[in-house]
Amino acid sequence: MADDQQSAKPRFGYETVDARTLASLRWQVGSRLKIANTKHLSSASRRFGTRAALGPHAVLLLFVADAPHEPGGLRLHTASRLFPAGPDAGHLPTVLDDLIIAAQGHIANAGPQWHPLDGVRSLVNGEQVHLPVGARYLGVGVSTLDTDQGRWSDIAASLHETLAAGIFGASQQISGRCYARLVDHTAMQVDRDAYPALGDNGIRCTQPVDIDHYDSYRRYADLTSRGDHDHQQMWQRLTALHDLLTAHLNPGRDV
């Protein structure tokens, strides 16, 4: 296993990180995505049926910065983009296509100086994020409220009927899902299950998130090729956006 662990030391686009730290960082990403999905659900639930209604998908940009006093010496930072409800907002591949086109335009207009968190050219619109000096791009993720339970538009309508009837806590029964691509070639699916199976953390990853159970990730090697046509299109668009940001923010590094 020593050889396998040595081969699992890719540069995160800027440095070599040991295998245990990489696994811990992926775990942090999975946990942060669950939190982001919960916030997404809360915001979408509050605004459903209003002029400010949100679409079922959100995009997250992930960054990492040196933090000597934290485990692994790294701290994860996230920034989000929510989308208003609308005809195109419900189709995730289209949402990602639009973001790719926007990023390409900003890069063409602003050149190497453009950053996806900068001012009027920002790709995000969530709470303001101030990255520490030296923070590096880590990856891109998606939060979605469309799951095996059904489409968000149908679930939300049922949820509001339930709340109107005075039955509280209904939102806690709604699941969510996230996807991510990271600069060490990781693909990740994270299920925030309202009724998780005992011992299931919901993280499906092509690289280990627990170095003590190193081989468990191998069952997800084909993660990006699973699912129907739209699901595979989502992975293609998410990977294309990630590759674009990696090439721009980590120039000269392998995507």
Side-chain angles (χ1 to χ4, degrees):
M1 187 167 67
D3 290 341
D4 285 344
Q5 291 188 10
Q6 183 65 30
S7 67
K9 290 185 178 181
R11 293 179 304 176
F12 263 85
Y14 44 80
E15 63 185 335
T16 300
V17 182
D18 68 272
R20 185 172 292 277
T21 299
L22 286 177
S24 174
L25 191 55
R26 295 183 200 107
W27 176 270
Q28 289 184 56
V29 169
S31 298
R32 189 69 61 86
L33 290 174
K34 283 186 182 180
I35 293 171
N37 187 266
T38 300
K39 292 181 177 179
H40 183 192
L41 170 63
S42 177
S43 296
S45 296
R46 289 197 311 271
R47 293 161 65 170
F48 181 77
T50 72
R51 292 183 179 180
L54 293 173
H57 313 300
V59 172
L60 297 101
L61 301 184
L62 312 172
F63 299 86
V64 67
D66 294 328
H69 301 295
E70 297 200 7
L74 298 171
R75 177 180 294 169
L76 181 65
H77 299 266
T78 61
S80 63
R81 183 182 184 95
L82 301 173
F83 298 88
D88 292 335
H91 187 242
L92 185 49
T94 300
V95 169
L96 293 171
D97 266 339
D98 289 345
L99 213 55
I100 291 169
I101 292 170
Q104 289 171 332
H106 294 325
I107 292 170
N109 293 326
Q113 301 305 313
W114 176 73
H115 192 280
L117 271 57
D118 284 348
V120 296
R121 295 189 177 98
S122 176
L123 288 188
V124 302
N125 59 10
E127 60 187 51
Q128 194 170 14
V129 176
H130 298 285
L131 295 177
V133 175
R136 285 88 67 186
Y137 171 72
L138 176 65
V140 62
V142 165
S143 166
T144 181
L145 302 178
D146 286 348
T147 67
D148 297 339
Q149 284 185 321
R151 296 182 64 83
W152 167 244
S153 56
D154 298 327
I155 292 172
S158 176
L159 171 64
H160 276 253
E161 289 178 2
T162 301
L163 294 177
I167 302 174
F168 298 101
S171 61
Q172 298 177 7
Q173 301 174 29
I174 298 175
S175 298
R177 179 168 289 170
C178 297
Y179 306 95
R181 292 306 307 252
L182 307 181
V183 292
D184 67 338
H185 309 290
T186 291
M188 180 183 295
Q189 174 181 312
V190 182
D191 289 317
R192 183 187 53 75
D193 197 335
Y195 305 99
L198 184 64
D200 184 2
N201 59 33
I203 300 176
R204 314 288 184 258
C205 192
T206 58
Q207 304 262 18
V209 296
D210 180 356
I211 204 65
D212 295 321
H213 298 86
Y214 191 80
D215 291 331
S216 62
Y217 76 94
R218 298 184 188 278
R219 76 185 74 170
Y220 304 115
D222 63 343
L223 185 63
T224 60
S225 61
R226 297 180 182 182
D228 61 18
H229 176 75
D230 272 358
H231 192 255
Q232 293 182 34
Q233 288 292 305
M234 179 280 299
W235 276 118
Q236 291 178 16
R237 303 302 198 279
L238 186 62
T239 300
L241 176 60
H242 169 60
D243 288 351
L244 176 65
L245 294 175
T246 300
H248 178 73
L249 297 173
N250 299 340
R253 304 294 187 180
D254 292 337
V255 175

